[in-house]
Amino acid sequence: MSAGATSVGASTLEGFRASVRSWCRDHIPADWRRAQTDVPDDEFVRFQKSWFQELRGAGFAVPHWPEEWGGGMSVAEQVVLYQELAAHDAPRLVLPFVSIHHAASTLLAAGTDEQRNRHLPAILDGEIWCQGFSEPGAGSDMAALATSARKDGDVYIVNGQKLWASGALYADRCLLLARTDPDAPKRKGISYFLMDMRTPGVEVRPIRQATGEAHFCEIFLNDVAIPATNLVGPENEGWRVAQETLGAERGMTMLELTERLSHGGFRLLVDLCTRPGPDGTTPLDDTRVADRLTTLEIELTGLRALVTDFVAANRPGPADASIVKLYYSELLQRMTDFGTEIAGLAAHTDLRKPQSSGWESGAWMLDFIGSWEWTIPGGTSEIQRTIIGERGLGLPREPTGHR
């Protein structure tokens, strides 16, 4: 999936920016942070679905989709859109994130016409997806997954367990990887499925975190029957299809996340550093704080340029997606770590944050804890460096018998 390729003139872009600003002033709920703090799950789901439809009505919900499916914005327009949403402190689309990015990119790149026509309109109407990739014994090494799918007539019978499935408690569908050929090499015997979460045999258990949240879930699969028409791509080619899903996580999603970090998270960090203490001084009066803040701003400028070039490229390099993920995730970690340090002891006792915020909410300790979600899942930083070294720099491959 790629953004619209049409170039946009500067005057047109400024006109678009003005229209987005006007829309933000009229439509962003002024008290959403308070309203989304300490709310029950059903209220969070209701708010997220309502906010998605608000954005959809303006044409802002899926700007990265092709025009025929309700998108078609150029990269430059998307940058402006995400800048203004962040600058106006708009809620994030947390719940539909997998649906509009991972599921859509997979369907557009590898799905059948029937699958696209069935699921893309459903996603626009509010269908929620989760991702069933990781397992207890296959986290960063996704190719080690053991969940099995056995062909039985016109269905596949699936058994196994998935772990760290974000939002699975509220999901209608699941992007599922399962092993269809146990005798094939690790990456050769995996298939990719679209699973209805209401199918008999699917059990979802939330994982309660130390912070009280239950963002992640376990999914248990016991003789779950998935129609063969829900296979994405050829049987045993699921590893290749999964790269489309992961490419979305490190592609168009990064455009939004980077602008959010630059225009939302960094603004909150500057506000924190310029807040007077009891003695009237601010953290920014310390030259060491000023130096670190300046360094982060420079790094954010580099990240924005890197991501914009990456999503605009027709043929990204073999390691470009890994470079983007590594850069963003570790910068997010450094920023939230610095925010926690400046916020002091108060940040360590604040266990509340708006549910519809992102990884840069200003609840610094919780944001820092959440930042580890980016340096571990979807390939750890160590794995990303291996990919960069081998595929990007042409260094010798690590000796292993499992590739």
PDB file of all heavy atoms in Angstrom, residues 120-142:
ATOM      1  N   LEU A 120     -12.542  -4.352   3.441  1.00  0.00           N
ATOM      2  CA  LEU A 120     -12.181  -2.931   3.487  1.00  0.00           C
ATOM      3  C   LEU A 120     -13.390  -2.048   3.801  1.00  0.00           C
ATOM      4  O   LEU A 120     -13.282  -1.153   4.661  1.00  0.00           O
ATOM      5  CB  LEU A 120     -11.501  -2.517   2.183  1.00  0.00           C
ATOM      6  CG  LEU A 120     -10.110  -3.126   1.950  1.00  0.00           C
ATOM      7  CD1 LEU A 120      -9.549  -2.674   0.600  1.00  0.00           C
ATOM      8  CD2 LEU A 120      -9.141  -2.752   3.074  1.00  0.00           C
ATOM      9  N   PRO A 121     -14.555  -2.273   3.157  1.00  0.00           N
ATOM     10  CA  PRO A 121     -15.725  -1.485   3.578  1.00  0.00           C
ATOM     11  C   PRO A 121     -16.116  -1.744   5.032  1.00  0.00           C
ATOM     12  O   PRO A 121     -16.568  -0.825   5.733  1.00  0.00           O
ATOM     13  CB  PRO A 121     -16.822  -1.952   2.610  1.00  0.00           C
ATOM     14  CG  PRO A 121     -16.090  -2.470   1.417  1.00  0.00           C
ATOM     15  CD  PRO A 121     -14.854  -3.100   1.967  1.00  0.00           C
ATOM     16  N   ALA A 122     -15.939  -2.986   5.486  1.00  0.00           N
ATOM     17  CA  ALA A 122     -16.276  -3.312   6.877  1.00  0.00           C
ATOM     18  C   ALA A 122     -15.360  -2.563   7.844  1.00  0.00           C
ATOM     19  O   ALA A 122     -15.803  -2.092   8.904  1.00  0.00           O
ATOM     20  CB  ALA A 122     -16.177  -4.817   7.103  1.00  0.00           C
ATOM     21  N   ILE A 123     -14.083  -2.442   7.496  1.00  0.00           N
ATOM     22  CA  ILE A 123     -13.150  -1.679   8.337  1.00  0.00           C
ATOM     23  C   ILE A 123     -13.589  -0.220   8.396  1.00  0.00           C
ATOM     24  O   ILE A 123     -13.590   0.404   9.472  1.00  0.00           O
ATOM     25  CB  ILE A 123     -11.721  -1.798   7.790  1.00  0.00           C
ATOM     26  CG1 ILE A 123     -11.175  -3.210   8.028  1.00  0.00           C
ATOM     27  CG2 ILE A 123     -10.787  -0.773   8.454  1.00  0.00           C
ATOM     28  CD1 ILE A 123      -9.841  -3.498   7.360  1.00  0.00           C
ATOM     29  N   LEU A 124     -14.003   0.340   7.271  1.00  0.00           N
ATOM     30  CA  LEU A 124     -14.478   1.724   7.261  1.00  0.00           C
ATOM     31  C   LEU A 124     -15.740   1.892   8.097  1.00  0.00           C
ATOM     32  O   LEU A 124     -15.991   2.964   8.662  1.00  0.00           O
ATOM     33  CB  LEU A 124     -14.737   2.179   5.826  1.00  0.00           C
ATOM     34  CG  LEU A 124     -13.497   2.382   4.954  1.00  0.00           C
ATOM     35  CD1 LEU A 124     -13.902   2.705   3.518  1.00  0.00           C
ATOM     36  CD2 LEU A 124     -12.604   3.487   5.513  1.00  0.00           C
ATOM     37  N   ASP A 125     -16.519   0.825   8.209  1.00  0.00           N
ATOM     38  CA  ASP A 125     -17.739   0.878   9.011  1.00  0.00           C
ATOM     39  C   ASP A 125     -17.472   0.580  10.487  1.00  0.00           C
ATOM     40  O   ASP A 125     -18.404   0.613  11.297  1.00  0.00           O
ATOM     41  CB  ASP A 125     -18.776  -0.109   8.473  1.00  0.00           C
ATOM     42  CG  ASP A 125     -19.386   0.365   7.159  1.00  0.00           C
ATOM     43  OD1 ASP A 125     -19.338   1.587   6.895  1.00  0.00           O
ATOM     44  OD2 ASP A 125     -19.894  -0.483   6.398  1.00  0.00           O
ATOM     45  N   GLY A 126     -16.205   0.259  10.831  1.00  0.00           N
ATOM     46  CA  GLY A 126     -15.876   0.073  12.241  1.00  0.00           C
ATOM     47  C   GLY A 126     -15.412  -1.301  12.643  1.00  0.00           C
ATOM     48  O   GLY A 126     -15.233  -1.571  13.837  1.00  0.00           O
ATOM     49  N   GLU A 127     -15.182  -2.214  11.682  1.00  0.00           N
ATOM     50  CA  GLU A 127     -14.690  -3.555  12.022  1.00  0.00           C
ATOM     51  C   GLU A 127     -13.284  -3.460  12.612  1.00  0.00           C
ATOM     52  O   GLU A 127     -12.415  -2.794  12.055  1.00  0.00           O
ATOM     53  CB  GLU A 127     -14.671  -4.432  10.772  1.00  0.00           C
ATOM     54  CG  GLU A 127     -14.319  -5.885  11.037  1.00  0.00           C
ATOM     55  CD  GLU A 127     -14.481  -6.744   9.797  1.00  0.00           C
ATOM     56  OE1 GLU A 127     -13.614  -6.660   8.904  1.00  0.00           O
ATOM     57  OE2 GLU A 127     -15.483  -7.490   9.710  1.00  0.00           O
ATOM     58  N   ILE A 128     -13.074  -4.118  13.753  1.00  0.00           N
ATOM     59  CA  ILE A 128     -11.800  -4.047  14.477  1.00  0.00           C
ATOM     60  C   ILE A 128     -11.010  -5.341  14.272  1.00  0.00           C
ATOM     61  O   ILE A 128     -11.551  -6.441  14.377  1.00  0.00           O
ATOM     62  CB  ILE A 128     -12.032  -3.808  15.982  1.00  0.00           C
ATOM     63  CG1 ILE A 128     -12.810  -2.504  16.192  1.00  0.00           C
ATOM     64  CG2 ILE A 128     -10.708  -3.759  16.733  1.00  0.00           C
ATOM     65  CD1 ILE A 128     -12.143  -1.268  15.632  1.00  0.00           C
ATOM     66  N   TRP A 129      -9.699  -5.174  13.995  1.00  0.00           N
ATOM     67  CA  TRP A 129      -8.811  -6.311  13.761  1.00  0.00           C
ATOM     68  C   TRP A 129      -7.707  -6.340  14.809  1.00  0.00           C
ATOM     69  O   TRP A 129      -7.310  -5.310  15.359  1.00  0.00           O
ATOM     70  CB  TRP A 129      -8.174  -6.205  12.373  1.00  0.00           C
ATOM     71  CG  TRP A 129      -9.114  -6.458  11.236  1.00  0.00           C
ATOM     72  CD1 TRP A 129     -10.175  -5.679  10.864  1.00  0.00           C
ATOM     73  CD2 TRP A 129      -9.081  -7.560  10.331  1.00  0.00           C
ATOM     74  NE1 TRP A 129     -10.797  -6.228   9.772  1.00  0.00           N
ATOM     75  CE2 TRP A 129     -10.138  -7.375   9.417  1.00  0.00           C
ATOM     76  CE3 TRP A 129      -8.251  -8.666  10.184  1.00  0.00           C
ATOM     77  CZ2 TRP A 129     -10.409  -8.273   8.383  1.00  0.00           C
ATOM     78  CZ3 TRP A 129      -8.501  -9.558   9.153  1.00  0.00           C
ATOM     79  CH2 TRP A 129      -9.570  -9.370   8.276  1.00  0.00           C
ATOM     80  N   CYS A 130      -7.218  -7.546  15.057  1.00  0.00           N
ATOM     81  CA  CYS A 130      -6.015  -7.721  15.871  1.00  0.00           C
ATOM     82  C   CYS A 130      -5.034  -8.583  15.077  1.00  0.00           C
ATOM     83  O   CYS A 130      -5.344  -9.049  13.986  1.00  0.00           O
ATOM     84  CB  CYS A 130      -6.336  -8.357  17.230  1.00  0.00           C
ATOM     85  SG  CYS A 130      -6.979 -10.050  17.136  1.00  0.00           S
ATOM     86  N   GLN A 131      -3.869  -8.795  15.638  1.00  0.00           N
ATOM     87  CA  GLN A 131      -2.801  -9.511  14.933  1.00  0.00           C
ATOM     88  C   GLN A 131      -2.360 -10.725  15.749  1.00  0.00           C
ATOM     89  O   GLN A 131      -1.942 -10.580  16.896  1.00  0.00           O
ATOM     90  CB  GLN A 131      -1.623  -8.558  14.726  1.00  0.00           C
ATOM     91  CG  GLN A 131      -0.537  -9.091  13.811  1.00  0.00           C
ATOM     92  CD  GLN A 131       0.449  -7.992  13.442  1.00  0.00           C
ATOM     93  OE1 GLN A 131       0.079  -6.985  12.849  1.00  0.00           O
ATOM     94  NE2 GLN A 131       1.700  -8.170  13.817  1.00  0.00           N
ATOM     95  N   GLY A 132      -2.459 -11.906  15.160  1.00  0.00           N
ATOM     96  CA  GLY A 132      -2.067 -13.143  15.833  1.00  0.00           C
ATOM     97  C   GLY A 132      -0.781 -13.691  15.250  1.00  0.00           C
ATOM     98  O   GLY A 132      -0.805 -14.678  14.493  1.00  0.00           O
ATOM     99  N   PHE A 133       0.327 -13.070  15.575  1.00  0.00           N
ATOM    100  CA  PHE A 133       1.635 -13.502  15.082  1.00  0.00           C
ATOM    101  C   PHE A 133       2.454 -14.162  16.201  1.00  0.00           C
ATOM    102  O   PHE A 133       2.842 -15.310  16.113  1.00  0.00           O
ATOM    103  CB  PHE A 133       2.413 -12.317  14.512  1.00  0.00           C
ATOM    104  CG  PHE A 133       1.980 -11.858  13.148  1.00  0.00           C
ATOM    105  CD1 PHE A 133       0.779 -12.269  12.589  1.00  0.00           C
ATOM    106  CD2 PHE A 133       2.763 -10.986  12.413  1.00  0.00           C
ATOM    107  CE1 PHE A 133       0.369 -11.843  11.327  1.00  0.00           C
ATOM    108  CE2 PHE A 133       2.380 -10.556  11.146  1.00  0.00           C
ATOM    109  CZ  PHE A 133       1.181 -10.985  10.614  1.00  0.00           C
ATOM    110  N   SER A 134       2.744 -13.411  17.267  1.00  0.00           N
ATOM    111  CA  SER A 134       3.642 -13.882  18.330  1.00  0.00           C
ATOM    112  C   SER A 134       3.029 -15.038  19.115  1.00  0.00           C
ATOM    113  O   SER A 134       1.803 -15.155  19.238  1.00  0.00           O
ATOM    114  CB  SER A 134       3.966 -12.735  19.295  1.00  0.00           C
ATOM    115  OG  SER A 134       4.675 -11.707  18.648  1.00  0.00           O
ATOM    116  N   GLU A 135       3.909 -15.869  19.644  1.00  0.00           N
ATOM    117  CA  GLU A 135       3.510 -17.004  20.469  1.00  0.00           C
ATOM    118  C   GLU A 135       4.434 -17.091  21.681  1.00  0.00           C
ATOM    119  O   GLU A 135       5.482 -16.428  21.713  1.00  0.00           O
ATOM    120  CB  GLU A 135       3.583 -18.302  19.654  1.00  0.00           C
ATOM    121  CG  GLU A 135       2.654 -18.330  18.460  1.00  0.00           C
ATOM    122  CD  GLU A 135       2.687 -19.653  17.707  1.00  0.00           C
ATOM    123  OE1 GLU A 135       3.398 -20.581  18.175  1.00  0.00           O
ATOM    124  OE2 GLU A 135       2.008 -19.769  16.664  1.00  0.00           O
ATOM    125  N   PRO A 136       4.084 -17.905  22.674  1.00  0.00           N
ATOM    126  CA  PRO A 136       4.964 -18.033  23.842  1.00  0.00           C
ATOM    127  C   PRO A 136       6.392 -18.435  23.486  1.00  0.00           C
ATOM    128  O   PRO A 136       7.342 -18.005  24.121  1.00  0.00           O
ATOM    129  CB  PRO A 136       4.269 -19.118  24.678  1.00  0.00           C
ATOM    130  CG  PRO A 136       2.828 -18.996  24.319  1.00  0.00           C
ATOM    131  CD  PRO A 136       2.807 -18.619  22.865  1.00  0.00           C
ATOM    132  N   GLY A 137       6.561 -19.242  22.438  1.00  0.00           N
ATOM    133  CA  GLY A 137       7.904 -19.658  22.020  1.00  0.00           C
ATOM    134  C   GLY A 137       8.357 -19.030  20.731  1.00  0.00           C
ATOM    135  O   GLY A 137       9.348 -19.460  20.139  1.00  0.00           O
ATOM    136  N   ALA A 138       7.617 -18.019  20.274  1.00  0.00           N
ATOM    137  CA  ALA A 138       7.953 -17.373  18.994  1.00  0.00           C
ATOM    138  C   ALA A 138       7.570 -15.901  19.082  1.00  0.00           C
ATOM    139  O   ALA A 138       6.524 -15.491  18.592  1.00  0.00           O
ATOM    140  CB  ALA A 138       7.220 -18.055  17.844  1.00  0.00           C
ATOM    141  N   GLY A 139       8.434 -15.143  19.732  1.00  0.00           N
ATOM    142  CA  GLY A 139       8.189 -13.715  19.859  1.00  0.00           C
ATOM    143  C   GLY A 139       8.929 -12.968  18.778  1.00  0.00           C
ATOM    144  O   GLY A 139       8.425 -12.734  17.682  1.00  0.00           O
ATOM    145  N   SER A 140      10.181 -12.622  19.068  1.00  0.00           N
ATOM    146  CA  SER A 140      10.991 -11.945  18.058  1.00  0.00           C
ATOM    147  C   SER A 140      11.332 -12.886  16.901  1.00  0.00           C
ATOM    148  O   SER A 140      11.471 -12.462  15.766  1.00  0.00           O
ATOM    149  CB  SER A 140      12.280 -11.414  18.695  1.00  0.00           C
ATOM    150  OG  SER A 140      11.977 -10.380  19.599  1.00  0.00           O
ATOM    151  N   ASP A 141      11.456 -14.176  17.194  1.00  0.00           N
ATOM    152  CA  ASP A 141      11.713 -15.161  16.136  1.00  0.00           C
ATOM    153  C   ASP A 141      10.376 -15.699  15.649  1.00  0.00           C
ATOM    154  O   ASP A 141       9.964 -16.813  15.993  1.00  0.00           O
ATOM    155  CB  ASP A 141      12.602 -16.285  16.677  1.00  0.00           C
ATOM    156  CG  ASP A 141      12.986 -17.286  15.589  1.00  0.00           C
ATOM    157  OD1 ASP A 141      12.744 -16.990  14.402  1.00  0.00           O
ATOM    158  OD2 ASP A 141      13.529 -18.349  15.938  1.00  0.00           O
ATOM    159  N   MET A 142       9.691 -14.905  14.860  1.00  0.00           N
ATOM    160  CA  MET A 142       8.341 -15.250  14.427  1.00  0.00           C
ATOM    161  C   MET A 142       8.303 -16.552  13.633  1.00  0.00           C
ATOM    162  O   MET A 142       7.302 -17.272  13.633  1.00  0.00           O
ATOM    163  CB  MET A 142       7.782 -14.103  13.596  1.00  0.00           C
ATOM    164  CG  MET A 142       6.300 -14.198  13.304  1.00  0.00           C
ATOM    165  SD  MET A 142       5.706 -12.718  12.479  1.00  0.00           S
ATOM    166  CE  MET A 142       6.553 -12.817  10.890  1.00  0.00           C
TER     167      MET A 142
END
